[in-house]
Amino acid sequence: MRESSPFNYKRRTTTVATAGNVTIGGNAPIRVQSMTNTNTNDIEASAAQCQRIAQAGGELVRLTAQGVREAQSIGEIKQRLIEQGCDVPLVADIHFNPRAAIAAAQVTDKVRINPGNFVDPARQFKRLDYTDEEYALELTKLRETLVPFLELCRERGTAVRLGVNHGSLSDRIMSRYGNTAAGMVESVMEFLRVAVEVNFTNIVISMKASNVVVMVEAVRRLVDAMDREDMHFPLHLGVTEAGFGEDGRVKSAVGIGTLLSEGLGDTIRVSLSEDPELEIPVARKLVEHVTAREGHAPIEGGYAPGYEPLSPMRRTTTSVDGLVGARHVPIVVSSCAPDNLGDVPQPDFYFSLVGALNDKDRFIVPAQSYEGTPNTFPLFSLNDLDLNCPATIKWLGVNTTSAPEQLIPFAERNDIVVVLFSNHINIPGDIQAYVHRMESLGIKLPVVARTIYSESDVEWLQVKAGVDLGTVVMNGRADGVWLDAPEQRPDIVVGTAFTILQAARQRITHTEFISCPSCGRTMFDLQTTVQQVKAATAHLTHLKIGVMGCVVNGPGEMADADYGYVGAAVGRISLYKGKECIEKNIPQEQAIDRLVELIKAHGDWCDPGKM
């Protein structure tokens, strides 16, 4: 059972799954894992990469199995690893091929199947209409295929991951539920009901999407659905196609971190378009940062009336000076100097002591926000708030240790922004509890969540800020973020803040690249290609562009993107506009130029520097 307050960190109680010598769920620690990007039939290369992942701290390794041959190769890889003294459990990744799943179940520790394509045919994004009787018949077919597979897994002691991807829901599911989080939930619940019926419980479940908001909602709705049917299977968390570099790390921290903060998640994978062993340190940091809260000092409180925890909406607040709160995009405040930001967007407000009056700290609005001389706005504490100050924005610094009731006298004012800071080890829980209390008291002042980190390691900063600020923003409890990190360069600090807002789909300030982490199905050098596509299109900040290694999940996962670059065969690329394939099998050496032409043809291109 969870604590009475929803803001306290406590892991969800689950059943236990066992893959080889690793247990998942129950009292086991949160496991971290990765996936190879080698050709699975290349035994030596795959075994070597499995070793590197294990040496980096990966506790499970997944390999793609397009067919029976690849499934059998995983068995050979496992034997090679055992001979080398490495007992890391191996997981076979199956799409579209029950025969490959049957073969894999006999030689691997765990088999991932996708409910979207294990029984149903490959999706074609067609609208299908089923009568209730026809739909029931499809479920009978599902059971007839699934039960023999589960029985084999029971016999062999093989775990099963039911892995739903937002981009690979079947046309059957989408015909009733759409390409939604609810559709993802029903896709897996169909399989779980069959598994429970035959008493097969060695199961882990994942609900992944490249859209962080969809991924988080899908996992929450799945847990709610399972609770209502008395199921408590462990969860595998991940943001699929998270991307490269800062984007991939922050996006993963926001999505995975929001759920871990709620006690959800028993194993995680950070999907980066980089060498797979580089995913492990990021995952380790995520787990360490969140689980450090275990047994923390209790945070009292509950949700404000009308709050929907499965799919939160941004809190209703007053508009201050036409810049902060209400329907305005969340702001970014920075303590950095306004120079040395490079290509990073300008923050909305700078905190500065320069030109301060009466030794009072001041905020300075960037010059482009106003004509003429920038305005200055004072930062007050509760003890020195001057309501007669003529400034159109009065920033009020508040620590969560103060009572929200002290803000009641200012509840209806339209010139005060609360800058909220927490010293609690569970920063997002503490800040959210405070804001919910404000809302329950009818206080509509906008809130900027402020965090300060002493990290000199960039990756640690991205993880901690992504989890702490990302959770608050994802749950709609902030009208802005103020990230402080004195040991970091200004462009890194400001860039991380903007990337957190973008990951939460609250504010788009740079081109979003949806790129897969690469696997044995990938048809080209993904890391190099992502960099080439970014070089050609990174100035198109209004677009989302998918770079996908193959067609298994590519067209579906990037359906949220405006344009897509997808591997069709070795050395051949297909280009997409949304879900529609516009050009097929283009020679790879021509593909980026043709992508630019496609963007221009649809009126979405502009030359660099002219946005």
Side-chain angles (χ1 to χ4, degrees):
M1 296 294 292
R2 299 198 196 177
E3 299 291 331
S4 56
S5 168
F7 308 114
N8 292 315
Y9 172 73
K10 184 174 178 60
R11 277 183 66 190
R12 165 179 168 261
T13 301
T14 74
T15 55
V16 175
T18 303
N21 59 358
V22 171
T23 56
I24 303 167
N27 294 320
I30 298 171
R31 307 296 188 179
V32 300
Q33 57 181 284
S34 185
M35 184 176 183
T36 62
N37 58 14
T38 52
N39 182 335
T40 305
N41 291 321
D42 187 337
I43 307 301
E44 292 297 333
S46 296
Q49 194 169 73
C50 290
Q51 282 272 23
R52 291 196 296 274
I53 293 170
Q55 289 165 0
E59 295 168 278
L60 298 100
V61 179
R62 183 159 46 111
L63 303 95
T64 187
Q66 299 96 313
V68 171
R69 181 187 173 199
E70 287 80 7
Q72 293 170 339
S73 291
I74 297 176
E76 295 182 43
I77 295 165
K78 181 173 179 60
Q79 186 58 40
R80 186 67 52 88
L81 290 171
I82 291 173
E83 292 168 358
Q84 297 169 353
C86 178
D87 59 358
V88 63
L90 300 187
V91 184
D93 189 65
I94 309 293
H95 288 276
F96 303 111
N97 197 336
R99 289 179 61 247
I102 293 291
Q106 301 178 64
V107 296
T108 62
D109 302 293
K110 183 179 175 186
V111 179
R112 178 271 175 107
I113 60 173
N114 185 339
N117 57 40
F118 185 69
V119 178
D120 287 304
R123 72 216 176 286
Q124 297 179 3
F125 300 106
K126 290 183 177 179
R127 176 69 188 181
L128 303 176
D129 293 309
Y130 291 93
T131 65
D132 289 344
E133 293 76 13
E134 289 169 338
Y135 204 88
L137 181 60
E138 294 299 313
L139 295 181
T140 299
K141 293 177 183 177
L142 181 157
R143 189 184 190 285
E144 290 172 349
T145 303
L146 181 60
V147 169
F149 168 68
L150 295 179
E151 293 297 347
L152 175 62
C153 290
R154 190 201 312 274
E155 176 188 334
R156 304 291 297 194
T158 306
V160 173
R161 170 153 75 98
L162 297 177
V164 178
N165 280 4
H166 181 224
S168 60
L169 296 181
S170 69
D171 289 337
R172 177 178 63 81
I173 285 289
M174 289 196 290
S175 72
R176 288 209 168 182
Y177 300 93
N179 196 25
T180 62
M184 295 173 69
V185 171
E186 187 58 26
S187 182
V188 77
M189 289 300 291
E190 293 177 348
F191 279 63
L192 286 179
R193 292 179 188 119
V194 173
V196 168
E197 181 184 338
V198 299
N199 196 32
F200 183 88
T201 59
N202 197 14
I203 292 176
V204 179
I205 311 165
S206 67
M207 310 285 278
K208 294 191 178 184
S210 60
N211 182 323
V212 173
V213 176
V214 172
M215 172 263 190
V216 169
E217 181 183 349
V219 173
R220 287 171 172 163
R221 290 193 182 280
L222 171 66
V223 172
D224 180 66
M226 286 199 295
D227 284 348
R228 285 187 274 109
E229 299 191 30
D230 196 24
M231 300 179 189
H232 309 284
F233 294 104
L235 300 171
H236 168 129
L237 302 182
V239 178
T240 192
E241 283 82 45
F244 183 86
E246 177 190 67
D247 279 351
R249 285 161 175 78
V250 172
K251 200 172 181 181
S252 295
V254 172
I256 298 172
T258 295
L259 293 168
L260 288 178
S261 296
E262 296 172 8
L264 305 178
D266 304 281
T267 178
I268 70 171
R269 186 216 173 170
V270 173
S271 298
L272 302 176
S273 300
E274 303 175 26
D275 293 338
E277 55 266 34
L278 298 180
E279 298 177 349
I280 301 301
V282 187
R284 286 281 178 202
K285 289 180 175 72
L286 265 170
V287 172
E288 181 180 335
H289 180 56
V290 176
T291 57
R293 304 168 186 166
E294 188 71 52
H296 65 63
I299 299 170
E300 302 298 330
Y303 295 136
Y307 180 76
E308 174 47 69
L310 298 183
S311 183
M313 300 296 291
R314 189 172 159 195
R315 169 175 164 258
T316 300
T317 59
T318 302
S319 174
V320 175
D321 205 26
L323 295 171
V324 189
R327 296 184 179 276
H328 309 298
V329 295
I331 63 168
V332 170
V333 180
S334 172
S335 300
C336 303
D339 51 3
N340 300 320
L341 291 182
D343 295 329
V344 173
Q346 289 280 336
D348 301 283
F349 296 90
Y350 288 104
F351 174 69
S352 176
L353 297 175
V354 178
L357 303 177
N358 302 319
D359 296 323
K360 296 188 73 64
D361 297 342
R362 295 277 167 170
F363 282 93
I364 300 178
V365 178
Q368 62 266 33
S369 296
Y370 288 87
E371 294 181 2
T373 304
N375 290 301
T376 58
F377 303 112
L379 171 63
F380 295 101
S381 69
L382 278 167
N383 295 327
D384 65 9
L385 176 59
D386 180 4
L387 295 177
N388 295 316
C389 171
T392 53
I393 302 180
K394 302 173 183 63
W395 302 86
L396 181 60
V398 176
N399 194 297
T400 55
T401 54
S402 65
E405 284 78 4
Q406 294 181 68
L407 300 175
I408 291 176
F410 323 121
E412 298 297 331
R413 292 188 68 99
N414 62 1
D415 59 349
I416 294 176
V417 177
V418 173
V419 178
L420 193 58
F421 180 79
S422 170
N423 297 109
H424 200 286
I425 190 171
N426 185 353
I427 290 174
D430 196 37
I431 288 179
Q432 288 180 95
Y434 196 97
V435 177
H436 275 278
R437 181 61 180 157
M438 286 176 61
E439 190 168 2
S440 297
L441 293 169
I443 300 167
K444 295 185 178 181
L445 303 178
V447 170
V448 171
R450 185 183 187 188
T451 56
I452 303 174
Y453 303 99
S454 59
E455 309 304 327
S456 58
D457 180 272
V458 173
E459 194 169 83
W460 261 118
L461 174 66
Q462 292 165 342
V463 166
K464 289 186 175 183
V467 172
D468 296 341
L469 291 173
T471 299
V472 176
V473 172
M474 283 287 291
N475 291 333
R477 302 301 95 184
D479 300 281
V481 296
W482 180 356
L483 172 58
D484 259 342
E487 300 300 316
Q488 296 291 343
R489 298 198 322 257
D491 58 322
I492 291 174
V493 177
V494 174
T496 299
F498 275 110
T499 301
I500 289 168
L501 294 180
Q502 177 140 334
R505 297 296 175 103
Q506 292 287 316
R507 182 172 181 177
I508 307 302
T509 50
H510 59 271
T511 312
E512 182 166 349
F513 293 94
I514 302 169
S515 60
C516 65
S518 184
C519 70
R521 295 185 178 91
T522 303
M523 299 296 180
F524 51 80
D525 180 340
L526 189 73
Q527 294 185 41
T528 300
T529 303
V530 169
Q531 293 300 331
Q532 291 172 341
V533 173
K534 289 182 75 170
T537 62
H539 64 288
L540 304 174
T541 57
H542 59 301
L543 295 182
K544 297 188 289 292
I545 297 176
V547 183
M548 313 299 291
C550 74
V551 296
V552 170
N553 286 317
E557 287 298 348
M558 63 171 206
D560 186 44
D562 299 292
Y563 295 92
Y565 179 112
V566 179
V570 176
R572 313 295 289 189
I573 305 299
S574 292
L575 299 179
Y576 285 72
K577 174 73 172 73
K579 298 178 183 178
E580 183 181 359
C581 183
I582 305 297
E583 297 189 64
K584 295 182 179 180
N585 298 317
I586 301 167
Q588 186 176 349
E589 59 271 18
Q590 302 175 16
I592 292 179
D593 288 341
R594 298 277 278 276
L595 174 63
V596 170
E597 291 173 9
L598 179 64
I599 296 171
K600 289 180 176 179
H602 285 82
D604 289 324
W605 180 267
C606 66
D607 291 330
K610 295 188 177 180
M611 283 296 294

